């Protein structure tokens, strides 16, 4: 309940209806500057968006999707890149409140510590939409909806694939884990889902787990340390493609063959990751779609029009083996 997986025709129709009602509604409001947060009543919705940063291929694709979808939807977008810092996001959100944007949307870099600023937005009458990542606030009335992936599921799918691959292993299988940014929902949840899945086989052990901050440089650097400290590494689980791609360099430099000496599992399925998978350097990817822009803009129109929206909207995702990556690559959008 409360989950909507795809944009069904009735849903789209409702969105169109919402925008029609919206135009009428705004016109009827006259020049009032209060309530709803709207500063100007030119019929155009203004969205303030605070992005995490530009740390990965996933993030770049997500930013493009949001900017393109805003233009297509006729929504005026104010965009801020927080460079992976919560304090920058809080500052951006406060600016948006001051500017009286119609809707605030953001992808929270970490899960905790948002209650105060979200309360400020609520008091100003500006609806907030969480996109990509969520917050751990107990008060769910602080935001209208959360649009994004099920990160626990992604970790689980990665772990389940490994359990199947190693089901005949007679001895210990040593796994190293490159975690995403500390405190980020996808890092917490992917770790959790993976651990739950591999618990099915006591031979599968995570012998080292550290953050690589979702970046290639971080993945490379931490993998170098892992390789130095651990003579036998059988598997790498990286919380995103970029860290896995960085780790490839460290593995090759250590004289090992990625995808053969070390089985590599990642999450995202951006083009470079899919290429590595098709080339046999990665072995498995659980997909995480960054193309959230169109759904986000539809939601913005709805919440601005005062319509009810589901509290949680999950993106649809799949997984890829090397063969499947070869097939999917030519039509990959990101
Ligand atoms: O997996 C990673 C990015 O929040 C789902 O953030 C997103 C994650 C994505 O840096 O590549």
């Amino acid at each position: 309940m409360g989950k909507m997986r795809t944009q069904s025709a009735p849903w789209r129709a409702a969105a169109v209806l919402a925008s029609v009602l919206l135009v009428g509604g705004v016109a009827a409001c006259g020049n009032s500057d209060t309530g709803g947060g709207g500063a100007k009543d030119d019929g155009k919705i203004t969205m303030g968006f605070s992005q995490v940063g530009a740390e990965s291929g996933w993030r770049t694709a997500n930013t493009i999707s949001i900017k393109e979808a805003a233009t297509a939807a006729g929504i005026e977008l104010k965009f801020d890149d927080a460079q992976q810092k919560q304090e920058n996001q809080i500052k951006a959100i406060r600016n948006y409140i001051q500017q009286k944007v119609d809707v605030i949307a953001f992808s929270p870099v970490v899960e905790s510590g948002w209650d105060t600023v979200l309360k400020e937005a609520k008091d100003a009458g500006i609806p907030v939409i969480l996109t990509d990542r969520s917050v751990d606030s107990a008060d769910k009335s602080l935001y209208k909806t959360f649009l994004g992936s099920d990160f626990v599921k992604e970790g689980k799918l990665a772990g389940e694939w490994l359990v199947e691959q190693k089901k005949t292993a007679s001895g210990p299988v040593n796994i190293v884990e490159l975690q995403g940014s500390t405190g980020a929902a996808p890092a917490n949840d992917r770790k959790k889902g993976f651990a739950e899945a591999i618990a099915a086989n006591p031979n599968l052990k995570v012998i080292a787990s550290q953050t690589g901050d979702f970046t290639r440089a971080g993945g490379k650097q931490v993998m170098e340390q892992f390789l130095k400290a651990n003579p036998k590494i059988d598997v790498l689980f990286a919380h995103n493609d970029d860290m896995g791609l960085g780790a490839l360099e460290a593995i090759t430099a250590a004289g090992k063959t990625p995808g053969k000496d070390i089985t590599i599992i990642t999450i995202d399925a951006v083009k470079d990751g899919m290429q590595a998978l098709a080339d046999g350097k990665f072995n498995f990817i659980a997909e995480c779609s960054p193309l959230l822009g169109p759904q986000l803009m539809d939601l913005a129109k709805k919440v601005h029009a005062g319509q009810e929206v589901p509290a949680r909207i999950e993106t649809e995702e799949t997984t890829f083996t090397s063969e499947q990556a070869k097939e999917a690559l030519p039509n990959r959008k990101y």
Side-chain angles (χ1 to χ4, degrees):
M1 283 296 291
K3 282 187 180 178
M4 191 160 45
R5 291 192 151 263
T6 48
Q7 294 188 52
S8 61
W11 197 71
R12 258 192 233 125
V16 171
L17 181 64
S19 34
V20 171
L21 288 175
L22 172 69
V23 172
V26 169
C29 279
N31 285 325
S32 162
D33 185 324
T34 55
K40 30 184 190 143
D41 287 336
D42 55 3
K44 196 160 186 171
I45 298 175
T46 301
M47 173 188 283
F49 186 88
S50 169
Q51 180 60 292
V52 168
E55 74 282 4
S56 64
W58 191 100
R59 190 64 53 198
T60 306
N62 181 244
T63 293
I64 292 170
S65 171
I66 287 161
K67 288 184 174 171
E68 285 181 355
T71 307
I75 289 179
E76 189 184 325
L77 184 70
K78 293 175 187 290
F79 183 92
D80 185 78
D81 173 340
Q83 299 179 333
Q84 299 231 68
K85 292 202 178 77
Q86 181 173 34
E87 71 214 63
N88 291 347
Q89 288 201 296
I90 292 175
K91 217 189 278 168
I93 292 168
R94 292 207 164 118
N95 277 339
Y96 295 146
I97 294 171
Q98 230 170 17
Q99 292 166 28
K100 298 186 174 155
V101 298
D102 297 304
V103 180
I104 291 173
F106 79 115
S107 171
V109 59
V110 290
E111 285 188 282
S112 304
W114 298 102
D115 288 28
T116 307
V117 74
L118 288 178
K119 178 100 187 357
E120 288 166 22
K122 191 180 172 186
D123 290 346
I126 304 177
V128 172
I129 300 175
L130 302 179
T131 163
D132 160 35
R133 301 182 183 176
S134 193
V135 299
D136 63 6
S137 304
D139 181 357
K140 306 290 175 214
S141 79
L142 293 177
Y143 55 92
K144 295 288 178 198
T145 180
F146 165 41
L147 164 68
S149 309
D150 181 342
F151 301 131
V152 177
K153 186 166 145 200
E154 291 167 354
K156 237 186 212 152
L157 290 169
E160 281 167 3
W161 179 83
L162 188 63
V163 167
E164 179 58 28
Q165 292 300 302
K166 302 288 179 187
K167 66 177 176 211
T168 55
S170 48
V173 175
N174 290 347
I175 305 165
V176 294
E177 181 179 31
L178 283 169
Q179 295 179 37
S181 307
T182 306
N188 295 340
D189 293 355
R190 287 169 182 169
K191 186 175 192 339
K192 182 168 178 263
F194 185 76
E196 275 171 19
I198 63 164
N201 180 351
N203 275 329
L204 304 183
K205 279 203 190 79
V206 177
I207 57 163
S209 180
Q210 260 184 57
T211 179
D213 214 12
F214 278 132
T215 65
R216 284 190 197 205
K220 182 177 177 221
Q221 200 197 328
V222 178
M223 192 66 200
E224 279 165 1
Q225 292 168 25
F226 284 164
L227 286 159
K228 265 186 212 143
N230 305 283
K232 181 181 178 288
I233 296 175
D234 302 304
V235 178
L236 163 64
F237 170 47
H239 288 186
N240 77 343
D241 289 341
D242 280 79
M243 292 190 295
L245 291 163
L248 288 182
E249 292 179 44
I251 294 169
T252 314
K256 296 186 193 279
T257 309
K260 296 216 165 57
D261 297 333
I262 299 180
T263 300
I264 302 179
I265 307 166
T266 67
I267 295 178
D268 274 357
V270 294
K271 260 199 187 131
D272 290 352
M274 291 287 273
Q275 189 60 58
L277 182 58
D279 294 344
K281 294 174 182 162
F282 285 1
N283 304 83
F284 189 73
I285 303 181
E287 185 187 41
C288 179
S289 175
L291 306 180
L292 305 177
Q295 273 174 298
L296 174 60
M297 299 310 148
D298 281 343
L299 284 166
K301 287 182 178 176
K302 284 191 157 188
V303 299
H304 184 61
Q307 289 182 28
E308 282 295 312
V309 292
R312 174 78 172 102
I313 300 167
E314 236 176 74
T315 18
E316 263 201 274
E317 277 141 12
T318 183
T319 59
F320 296 97
T321 59
S322 185
E323 284 313 307
Q324 290 165 331
K326 276 182 209 157
E327 251 173 64
L329 250 179
N331 301 317
R332 206 71 189 150
K333 292 207 178 58
Y334 55 91

